[in-house]
Amino acid sequence: MSDHQCTDNPPKLDPKSGSGHVEKVGGLESYVSGSTQSKLAVVLVSHVFGYETPQLRKLADKVAEAGFYAVVPDFFHGDPYNPANEDRPLPIWIKDHTQDKGFEDSKPVVEALKNKGITTVGAAGFCWGAKVAVELAKQDLVKAVVLLHPSRVTVDDIKGVKVPISVLGAEYDQVTPPELVKQFRDVLATKPEVKSFVKIFPGVKHGWTVRYNANDPSEVEAAEEAHKDMLVWLNNHVN
């Protein structure tokens, strides 16, 4: 994830964004949206810019409107990647916020949701967060996952997946290029016991689902198409 595309077009963070609120879930400050009466939850694992990304919270609100209890944890403990801080470029920052640590931090979140009476949990991971989501899928800790413009996810990771998985990739992605996404598809084709959906979106770049230009109709359309595909997958498999 040393590639610059992970940090292109940084969002303007807003702790007040979204129609939900922030509370602790599994020990992590988390943006939550949706009915607490829902028996179905989705954990959205953020990119390196963290859980105050307005477009990510807006997507969590969409997930909530679909009937899920949506949770966006702060896996970075108040320390999201800040491109303005020249003393901590991404390779330095990432040492304090490894995806392995994110996966370990995700387990109490899933456990806390189940302790709230939620019966089924799914996960969606964006860039950095996709690695966390795929680890949850390998350990069978969630019912289904969606990986959106993943980072550092390997063919071996995909081989180990045990639950329904959707992979949404970008045509212009130097982090997880289409060639690698096609390898994921080929691996999943050999695993008929694992339901899968793999799609490469034409004309878009890494990060397009949560870092799009809201004033560019084509970027909005591509992001919304990915959001729709994500929700269809979650509706079909987190139930």
Side-chain angles (χ1 to χ4, degrees):
M1 206 168 67
S2 58
D3 193 277
H4 68 88
Q5 274 192 314
C6 284
T7 57
D8 278 354
N9 190 26
K12 184 177 180 182
L13 302 184
D14 181 359
K16 294 184 170 63
S17 58
S19 60
H21 66 277
V22 173
E23 64 177 59
K24 273 218 161 105
V25 180
L28 296 181
E29 293 291 330
S30 302
Y31 175 80
V32 298
S33 185
S35 171
T36 54
Q37 304 304 309
S38 178
K39 297 296 183 185
L40 311 174
V42 174
V43 178
L44 292 91
V45 191
S46 76
H47 53 178
V48 296
F49 298 106
Y51 85 133
E52 292 180 353
T53 300
Q55 290 177 348
L56 179 58
R57 289 189 174 188
K58 185 177 179 181
L59 180 53
D61 292 341
K62 276 190 192 177
V63 172
E65 287 165 14
F68 298 98
Y69 187 62
V71 182
V72 191
D74 177 14
F75 286 103
F76 307 133
H77 304 275
D79 180 39
Y81 174 66
N82 178 6
N85 184 352
E86 295 179 0
D87 293 332
R88 286 180 86 205
L90 189 66
I92 302 297
W93 176 89
I94 202 82
K95 290 178 181 177
D96 294 325
H97 302 292
T98 66
Q99 290 157 310
D100 287 345
K101 183 176 184 298
F103 170 54
E104 292 304 319
D105 284 348
S106 73
K107 294 179 190 175
V109 172
V110 172
E111 192 64 29
L113 291 170
K114 291 180 177 176
N115 289 340
K116 284 176 181 275
I118 285 164
T119 56
T120 310
V121 181
F126 306 79
C127 188
W128 181 97
K131 180 75 166 183
V132 175
V134 85
E135 291 295 337
L136 288 166
K138 287 159 62 179
Q139 300 290 333
D140 205 7
L141 295 174
V142 292
K143 193 77 178 290
V145 297
V146 183
L147 313 185
L148 303 97
H149 37 88
S151 171
R152 293 188 175 179
V153 173
T154 66
V155 168
D156 282 343
D157 286 329
I158 299 299
K159 286 179 180 175
V161 166
K162 297 176 180 172
V163 302
I165 178 170
S166 170
V167 183
L168 306 181
E171 179 182 5
Y172 303 114
D173 195 327
Q174 296 157 8
V175 184
T176 301
E179 294 75 23
L180 182 55
V181 176
K182 289 172 184 173
Q183 288 182 50
F184 294 167
R185 183 189 62 201
D186 293 344
V187 166
L188 290 165
T190 70
K191 293 168 63 79
E193 73 280 8
V194 174
K195 291 176 180 168
S196 62
F197 176 79
V198 179
K199 182 173 175 179
I200 297 168
F201 284 70
V204 299
K205 296 181 294 185
H206 181 87
W208 91 96
T209 68
V210 287
R211 297 207 300 275
Y212 54 90
N213 179 353
N215 296 315
D216 183 327
S218 64
E219 288 197 21
V220 172
E221 183 181 359
E224 289 182 345
E225 183 182 340
H227 300 165
K228 181 182 175 185
D229 287 346
M230 182 186 94
L231 282 168
V232 167
W233 192 255
L234 295 171
N235 277 320
N236 286 343
H237 300 290
V238 180
N239 48 41

